[in-house]
Amino acid sequence: MPRTPIPGVQNLIAVGSGKGGVGKTTVAVNLAISLARSGRKVGLMDADVYGPNVPLMMGVRATPHAIGERIQPIEKHGVRIMSMGFLNPGDKPLVWRGPMLHSVIQQFLRNVDWGESDYLIIDLPPGTGDVQLTLIQTAPLTGSIVVTTPSDVSLEDARKAIHMFQQVRVPILGLVENMSYLICPHCNERIDVFSYGGGKQTAETMNVHFLGELPLDPSVRIGGDSGKPVALGDSPGFTALAHEVERRAAEVSGAKRPVVEIED
Amino acid sequence: MPRTPIPGVQNLIAVGSGKGGVGKTTVAVNLAISLARSGRKVGLMDADVYGPNVPLMMGVRATPHAIGERIQPIEKHGVRIMSMGFLNPGDKPLVWRGPMLHSVIQQFLRNVDWGESDYLIIDLPPGTGDVQLTLIQTAPLTGSIVVTTPSDVSLEDARKAIHMFQQVRVPILGLVENMSYLICPHCNERIDVFSYGGGKQTAETMNVHFLGELPLDPSVRIGGDSGKPVALGDSPGFTALAHEVERRAAEVSGAKRPVVEIED
C-alpha cells in the first residue's frame, strides 16, 4: 500500500501500546499539549474508535462541521483534534467490523483539514490488530512511540508492539515507561506499584531508544478525567518527553533523508 | 447466529471491559482459581488473541496437543486453560485480520476438550469490537462480568461494554471496580490513585449489579507477573467475588429457566 504524504503535515507520529490502560492516550494528549505550548502547530487524531477517550481528556464535546469536502477538526488547548467521540458521543458502543474501521481511519487521515502542522499525533488503539496494521501501512509515519508500564504483563505486550512497528519498517522513536512509581501523598515514600525499571531494560534488550519514565501521579489521572491535562501547567515530565520526541523525530527524518538543510 | 451449547459446560461466563489495563485478565484468572479452590471444575479461555496474558499470569508455557480432533487444554493451578499464547509463544505479534480471529475463537470454544465444567470463564479482549461481538453472539453465555477502574475514562468505556452486552441480550452478572484504592505499604494510609466509588455509582445508574471493589494491591500484580496469582493463597477479595459470581450465575440461569430443580 502506498504511504501518501498528508499535505502540510511535517511529522506524523503514532503513539501505541501492546496493552490497553497503560496511559497511551494520556501520553498522546499531554505530548500534543506540550508541543503546542512550545510553539509547534499540533494535530491530535484519536484512532481508538471503540474507546475514544481523547474528548473526555481534552475536555471538549463538539460536532465537527465540514467546509466543502473537508472536515474541520475541533481546536482545544491549542491542539486540533479529531475523534470518533465527536461523531458518536455518549455511551453507545460502536460494534463495527473491520472494513468500516478502515474507512473511518482513512477519512480521519485524509479528509480532515489538518492544515499546516509540525506534528500530527495519532493515538492508536491498543494492541497489534487490524486497525493498527492498516493505519501504519498506509500512513506516512515519521515514527512511533510505544507506551508501557513496568509490569511484566505490560512489557510482554509492548515487545509485541515493537515487533509490529519493526515488521512494517516504521521507525521507533522510543519506549516510554508510564506509571513507573507512585509517591505516597501522605508520607512521600516511593511505591513501585507496577514494579520498576522494566521499560528501560526492555528498551536496551530490544535496541530501541528509551524516552524516559513518567511517575504514576494521581494529578495526571485527575487532569485527564477533568479535561485539563497536566501538561497545561508546569509538567517537567511531559516537557522533557516532548523535547526527546522532537529530537528523535528529527533524527529519524534525517536518517531517512540524508540531506543537510540549513534553516534561515 | 445460533448459540449452540458447549457439551459438558454448565456456566459460560465472559469477563470483559471497555478499556484495557483495568485488570480484566487479573480478575478472570483469580476468579477461575477461586472457583477451582472451592471445588468447582473450571476452564479458562483466553480470547485476547492479540495480547494473551493468561499463560504469563498462570505461570504456564506449554504446547497443547490434540487427541483425535479435540485439542486438549493445559491444566495449571487446578484450571484447564486455552490461550493463543500457547500457540504463538514469544514476542512476535499476531497481525491477523477479522475472519482469522473468528475462526480461532470458534475453535477455542468448540474444538477444545473442556470436559465436564461447572464454569468456563472467557477472558475477552478489551473493547467492543469484532471479536467481542462474534463471541458473545455465538457463545451460549450464562452471563458477563464487566471490569472497570474508578477513573472516569475507564467508566466511560465500561458503560459502552455494558451497553454492548445489553444490546445482544447477554445477562450482566455485574460490574467489578478494580484498583479501587491503594494502601501505602510505608504508612498504611489509603490512596485513591484512580479516584474512588465510580464503579458502584455507575452500576446503580445503569441498573446493573455491583459485584464489589478490589484494591490496587501490588501483591496482585506481583502474583500475575510471577505466574502465582494471589487467589492461590488467602485472598478474601477474590473469594468474595467468586461467591457473588456463583450466586448471580444461579440467579440469571434460574431466570432463564424458571424450573425448580431439586438436587439430591
Side-chain angles (χ1 to χ4, degrees), chain B:
Chain B
M1 278 184 264
R3 292 179 176 170
T4 321
I6 301 170
V9 174
Q10 294 305 313
N11 292 282
L12 190 59
I13 294 175
V15 181
S17 70
K19 196 169 169 56
V22 298
K24 181 181 48 57
T25 303
T26 298
V27 167
V29 157
N30 283 289
L31 173 63
I33 291 176
S34 289
L35 289 167
R37 276 168 56 96
S38 68
R40 309 292 180 253
K41 295 197 183 72
V42 183
L44 175 58
M45 173 178 150
D46 183 358
D48 195 346
V49 292
Y50 288 126
N53 297 131
V54 167
L56 178 71
M57 286 199 191
M58 290 294 268
V60 58
R61 299 275 172 200
T63 306
H65 64 280
I67 296 180
E69 300 255 299
R70 309 289 290 167
I71 307 164
Q72 301 302 304
I74 306 288
E75 187 157 340
K76 187 74 191 278
H77 302 320
V79 176
R80 289 189 289 261
I81 311 163
M82 182 51 60
S83 167
M84 185 48 74
F86 294 148
L87 309 177
N88 177 47
D91 292 335
K92 296 282 178 234
L94 276 181
V95 276
W96 290 356
R97 294 187 182 275
M100 280 187 73
L101 281 186
H102 303 165
S103 149
V104 80
I105 292 286
Q106 290 306 317
Q107 288 213 12
F108 276 13
L109 269 180
R110 307 288 173 189
N111 295 353
V112 169
D113 205 351
W114 293 112
E116 292 296 320
S117 300
D118 297 304
Y119 294 94
L120 176 55
I121 310 290
I122 302 181
D123 182 22
L124 288 179
T128 57
D130 239 12
V131 176
Q132 293 85 336
L133 194 64
T134 302
L135 209 149
I136 62 186
Q137 281 181 329
T138 58
L141 290 173
T142 309
S144 61
I145 297 169
V146 176
V147 184
T148 185
T149 75
S151 88
D152 287 344
V153 166
S154 171
L155 289 166
E156 175 175 57
D157 294 350
R159 289 194 296 269
K160 288 200 166 79
I162 290 171
H163 276 294
M164 175 184 70
F165 285 120
Q166 286 173 337
Q167 266 181 19
V168 291
R169 295 176 200 284
V170 168
I172 296 169
L173 302 185
L175 182 68
V176 180
E177 183 181 287
N178 192 31
M179 307 193 194
S180 284
Y181 55 89
L182 172 71
I183 301 297
C184 174
H186 305 293
C187 67
N188 287 318
E189 290 281 341
R190 175 185 167 127
I191 312 170
D192 290 336
V193 182
F194 295 107
S195 181
Y196 174 70
K200 187 160 192 213
Q201 207 176 350
T202 299
E204 282 166 7
T205 311
M206 298 193 74
N207 204 19
V208 303
H209 186 77
F210 185 58
L211 288 167
E213 56 189 43
L214 296 162
L216 174 58
D217 179 350
S219 73
V220 172
R221 196 266 312 152
I222 293 167
D225 276 0
S226 64
K228 296 187 185 86
V230 287
L232 289 171
D234 191 30
S235 173
F238 287 112
T239 306
L241 178 67
H243 284 310
E244 241 340 68
V245 167
E246 289 213 275
R247 196 184 63 72
R248 283 286 298 150
E251 208 168 273
V252 302
S253 303
K256 276 196 303 188
R257 297 188 295 262
V259 178
V260 180
E261 287 175 354
I262 298 166
E263 290 185 8
D264 59 355

Side-chain angles (χ1 to χ4, degrees), chain A residues 134-210:
Chain A
T134 302
L135 208 149
I136 62 187
Q137 281 180 330
T138 57
L141 290 173
T142 310
S144 60
I145 297 169
V146 176
V147 183
T148 184
T149 76
S151 87
D152 286 345
V153 166
S154 171
L155 290 166
E156 176 175 55
D157 294 349
R159 290 194 296 271
K160 289 201 167 76
I162 291 171
H163 276 293
M164 175 185 70
F165 286 120
Q166 287 173 337
Q167 268 182 18
V168 291
R169 296 177 200 287
V170 168
I172 295 167
L173 302 184
L175 182 68
V176 180
E177 184 181 289
N178 191 32
M179 307 193 195
S180 282
Y181 55 88
L182 172 71
I183 302 298
C184 175
H186 305 292
C187 68
N188 287 317
E189 290 281 341
R190 174 182 167 129
I191 313 171
D192 290 337
V193 183
F194 295 108
S195 182
Y196 175 70
K200 189 162 192 211
Q201 205 175 352
T202 298
E204 281 167 7
T205 311
M206 298 192 74
N207 204 21
V208 302
H209 186 76
F210 185 58

